[in-house]
Amino acid sequence: MLNTANYQPVSRGWFTSSRTNNGNQCVEVRFDGDAVLIRDSKYRRNPEHRLEDEPIITVAATEWMTFLAAVLGRHSVRTALSAETGADGHTTLRHRDTTLIYTPGEWRAFVDGARDGEFDRQPQSV
């Protein structure tokens, strides 16, 4: 039987795809219990931005895994978390009222890492 509130790894710091170029511009992810947090590293590098206002998307691990499967073309189930790539190549990640925009290179590194399983959440069996 699976316990959907118990995922591995349980807690981890912010990380990026191994395909990211020195972590300068990237999709950053953090696992925290049964939640997945997503942010954009560009926000922190702009001195005009206040860290307390940083946009961070938080989703349940189950929604995250469904989202990853859709991004990788494994199925077309929609979740509240969505990604849309515009004509200019930039990808907009949306969840409710929070929006993050990634460059083509940032999104490509993320998708490549997702394809390699770097962002998977694995439920523990109990």
Side-chain angles (χ1 to χ4, degrees):
M1 175 182 213
L2 294 178
N3 176 351
T4 58
N6 199 0
Y7 281 79
Q8 284 293 345
V10 173
S11 184
R12 197 170 164 177
W14 291 100
F15 68 100
T16 64
S17 167
S18 63
R19 308 289 185 93
T20 300
N21 182 12
N22 298 324
N24 291 331
Q25 295 183 16
C26 47
V27 178
E28 291 185 294
V29 174
R30 187 176 123 217
F31 299 151
D32 189 2
D34 70 341
V36 177
L37 292 78
I38 309 112
R39 70 182 182 188
D40 185 346
S41 65
K42 294 187 298 296
Y43 187 91
R44 296 180 154 264
R45 288 197 325 274
N46 186 333
E48 295 178 12
H49 290 162
R50 296 169 16 137
L51 291 182
E52 59 271 16
D53 296 332
E54 179 178 20
I56 296 176
I57 292 173
T58 303
V59 297
T62 52
E63 182 176 7
W64 175 250
M65 290 304 292
T66 300
F67 169 76
L68 287 180
V71 165
L72 297 174
R74 296 181 182 150
H75 68 68
S76 60
V77 174
R78 290 189 156 297
T79 66
L81 178 61
S82 66
E84 183 177 324
T85 302
D88 64 356
H90 286 74
T91 298
T92 302
L93 192 60
R94 284 191 180 87
H95 186 259
R96 297 188 177 98
D97 295 334
T98 305
T99 301
L100 304 171
I101 300 173
Y102 297 101
T103 67
E106 291 171 322
W107 192 249
R108 187 170 35 258
F110 170 75
V111 171
D112 288 345
R115 191 171 291 114
D116 291 342
E118 295 177 356
F119 298 102
D120 288 357
R121 298 303 312 273
Q122 298 301 320
Q124 293 184 29
S125 296
V126 285

